[in-house]
Structures are given as C-alpha cells and as structure tokens.
Amino acid sequence: MERYPINLNEYAELAKKILPHNIWDYIEAGRGDEISLNRNTQIYSEVFLRPNKMMNISNIKMSTTILGDKTSFPLMIAPAGGHTFCDDDGELSTIRAAKKENIIAGVGTNSSYTIEDIANETDTPLWFQIYHLTKEIDEMLVKRAEKSGYKVIVLTVDGPVPGMDHLRPKERDIRNAFVNPPNTERVNLIGEIAGLGYKHGDTQVQLGGLNPDDQLLWEDINWFKSLTDLPIVIKGLLSAHDAKKAVEYGADGIVVSNHGARGVDTLMPSLQSLPEVVKAVDGKCEVYLDGGIRRGTDILKALAFGAKAVMIGRPFYWGLAVGGENGVRDVIQILKEELEVAMKYCGITDVENINPDLLSYNFS
C-alpha cells in the first residue's frame, strides 16, 4: 500500500508534485513579496515551550466545545472555496473527513458544491462563511444556510477591496495567466444573482469583491444579526481596536486572521496579533486563530496565547490533492497526534487548561 506523508510539510511537497503548476500557485499564493505568507508559519519557530515535568499525564482530554458544539479537539476546517481544485468531490470529501474525525467544518460562499448539498452530506456542525456582496445576496445566503442547518455565520471582513483582484491579481496568478477551471464554479451564487438582476460572471459578484457604494461598516453587524438567530463570528481581525469593536457590536466570536496573506502583504502574522486580540476581548466572546498551523505544537502555542481553537486552510487542500477524503482525515489525525504528544511532554492534561505560562517569546 502506498505510504501517506508523515507530516504536513511532506503533504505539501507531494501535493505540489500532483497538482498542475497553476493550481498549486493559486492555492499557495500570497500577495506581493509574500512576506506575510512566510511569516505566518515562521513565527511559530520564535515561540518556545516551557514544559511542566513530573505531572500525571495518564489521562489526556483533548475534546472541547466551540460555541457550544462538541469537537474531538480544537481544530476546525477553515471556510474556503474551490475544494474541487484538488479533488472531484471537493467540499463533500472535506466534510466527510470532518465528520469522521468529529471536528467542525467551515463552508465558503465560493464553494463548488451548494450550501444545501454540503449540509445534506453530514450532521457535523457546519459554519457558513459569507463575504459582503450586496445586502440582497447576503440575506439570501444567510437564510439558505440557516434553513440548511448551519450552526454559525462567519462574516469575512478582510476580503478584497473593491476591484482588487480584477485590477491586480496575485503575482503568481498574473505569471500563470490563471483562470478558474470549469469544475470550480461558484455555484452558490448562480441562482441567487439571476433572481436579483445580476448576470452570472459579473465581476463584483464572481470575485467576491465589494461594491464601492455598498461597503461593509461596523454598523452593518447589527443588520446581519437581525437576519438570523445564529451566532455571528467575524473573521479577519488583527488588532485590539477592531476586537473591541466586534465585542461592542455583539460578535459571538472572532477569527484572528490575515486571510492567508492573500489580501495585502506585510500584514501582521496571525499568531503575533492573537495576544492583543485576546486581551482586548477579555472573555466576552470566543477567539480563534487562522493562519500558519503546520504542527501540533503550533496548535498548542495558539491555545496557550488564548485561542479557543484554530483553523487550517492550505493543509486540507494538500490532503485533498494527495488522497481525497482519506488525505484530509490523515492531515487532521497527524495534527491531533502531534498535539497530544506535545501536551503530554509539557505536562498538560486538558486543552482547556493551557495558558501563557507555557510560552517563552519576544515579539517585537
């Protein structure tokens, strides 16, 4: 039997060999010189662990709850589109893997399978991510997700500025003259935009961009909350200022994220931003981290800084490329096993008891 990779870095190496060059670059690309892209992962190597020795580690508890839903350990699939870049079953494979590993999964507005098709595939808790397009489309998508049984609405607030991808795509995509393959069509928008007078392929809608006359403002959080009884999680914050605003407007959770460094370069790495966001929130809502997770020790460090859970993005694409559903499951299992080893070595018996005393670091 063919051997799967033994860590996420090996998954990346193998996925790069399997995927067409332009697809690999599309998934991996950051903006500009990709400084933020590289720092998202490098910064974990600048945080060191201070173990507690001679502790009773015979019973390790990795399970927890995230916004009230149980999970086998504090890892979630980040909401992202186009899983069919890597696997014909795309999001369906990812969701099946999440169900079997008992973790929460995010579903993106730009998914290649519909909100309803994905929900029908599983009873695992699903979070639906939305970009602000227009209020008409936003409302339709939120209502569809709620009707389909999704548990949380994730509002991404760090998406492209108006026309950015149309004006200036990521440089790897410019070099490759990249266009979306046919099997990655954003199916959630087809019926919605037709009924509202938008043409399919409209740049504003197709790219998930914003209408300059209809930008998302903090006051609009109240409007989003009026659409649904589901919790609202705001994804894409990096500062104490914005974290306090999110709490002020009633967010149930915050995802500390720089959008995988795909928006603009030289943004702060997610991990470096996490401590100030956690401090600013002061326990008034849950905080999660998205960005750069490649090892179980990375998860441990994020939890020690105060994250309730972490999300992975690119690694599940690598798993899909290498082995479809089984590849995603293996990626999840590797991270879980590595986290368990790290917890035991550091004398930690419960993921909910991890605290900053475990860490030594000097962020400038």
Side-chain angles (χ1 to χ4, degrees), residues 38-323:
N38 293 322
R39 286 294 291 162
N40 262 1
T41 54
Q42 289 171 353
I43 195 165
Y44 289 91
S45 67
E46 299 170 17
V47 179
F48 295 90
L49 299 172
R50 299 152 48 101
N52 302 308
K53 293 302 182 183
M54 300 181 71
M55 305 293 288
N56 184 350
I57 56 171
S58 55
N59 292 304
I60 299 293
K61 178 179 174 290
M62 302 181 71
S63 62
T64 186
T65 59
I66 303 173
L67 284 179
D69 284 314
K70 295 179 180 179
T71 180
S72 62
F73 77 119
L75 176 82
M76 297 184 279
I77 298 292
H83 299 201
T84 49
F85 281 118
C86 300
D87 175 74
D88 286 343
D89 281 353
E91 286 82 3
L92 303 184
S93 290
T94 309
I95 296 305
R96 292 170 191 144
K99 177 179 179 178
K100 290 176 181 175
E101 297 304 321
N102 190 24
I103 66 169
I104 293 167
V107 175
T109 291
N110 292 334
S111 61
S112 303
Y113 285 85
T114 68
I115 294 168
E116 293 79 10
D117 286 343
I118 294 170
N120 289 336
E121 192 68 28
T122 185
D123 56 3
T124 198
L126 298 177
W127 290 18
F128 181 70
Q129 173 271 336
I130 187 169
Y131 293 105
H132 174 52
L133 299 170
T134 71
K135 284 193 172 181
E136 294 171 303
I137 295 175
D138 295 351
E139 182 172 359
M140 282 192 169
L141 292 172
V142 168
K143 295 296 186 184
R144 283 174 60 188
E146 186 173 44
K147 183 178 179 181
S148 297
Y150 287 69
K151 304 299 288 293
V152 172
I153 299 297
V154 180
L155 178 60
T156 296
V157 299
D158 64 344
V161 298
M164 183 175 72
D165 276 343
H166 179 66
L167 175 67
R168 182 72 176 174
K170 290 178 283 297
E171 292 180 10
R172 294 202 207 190
D173 294 338
I174 294 173
R175 293 189 191 97
N176 295 329
F178 180 81
V179 294
N180 284 329
N183 68 331
T184 61
E185 194 168 37
R186 291 153 183 175
V187 294
N188 284 320
L189 299 177
I190 295 174
E192 302 301 329
I193 63 178
L196 294 170
Y198 297 94
K199 293 185 295 184
H200 184 54
D202 185 323
T203 299
Q204 170 194 331
V205 176
Q206 186 70 5
L207 294 179
L210 302 173
N211 181 338
D213 298 322
D214 187 23
Q215 296 182 35
L216 185 65
L217 304 175
W218 280 110
E219 293 78 10
D220 294 316
I221 302 301
N222 293 326
W223 176 77
F224 268 96
K225 289 176 71 69
S226 75
L227 297 179
T228 179
D229 293 328
L230 296 178
I232 302 289
V233 167
I234 299 179
K235 182 176 184 288
L237 304 185
L238 292 170
S239 70
H241 172 271
D242 283 348
K244 290 177 181 177
K245 296 289 281 187
V247 170
E248 177 186 342
Y249 283 95
D252 298 284
I254 293 170
V255 182
V256 177
S257 171
N258 60 23
H259 209 95
R262 295 169 77 83
V264 69
D265 202 7
T266 67
L267 292 176
M268 282 182 67
S270 299
L271 187 71
Q272 188 171 352
S273 304
L274 180 61
E276 70 171 271
V277 171
V278 170
K279 182 178 179 181
V281 164
D282 193 26
K284 295 181 176 69
C285 72
E286 293 186 357
V287 178
Y288 322 107
L289 175 133
D290 166 61
I293 296 293
R294 301 293 182 265
R295 288 284 186 178
T297 48
D298 298 342
I299 300 176
L300 183 60
K301 292 169 186 178
L303 299 179
F305 274 125
K308 179 68 172 172
V310 302
M311 292 179 168
I312 55 169
R314 291 180 177 92
F316 76 73
Y317 286 99
W318 306 337
L320 281 173
V322 172

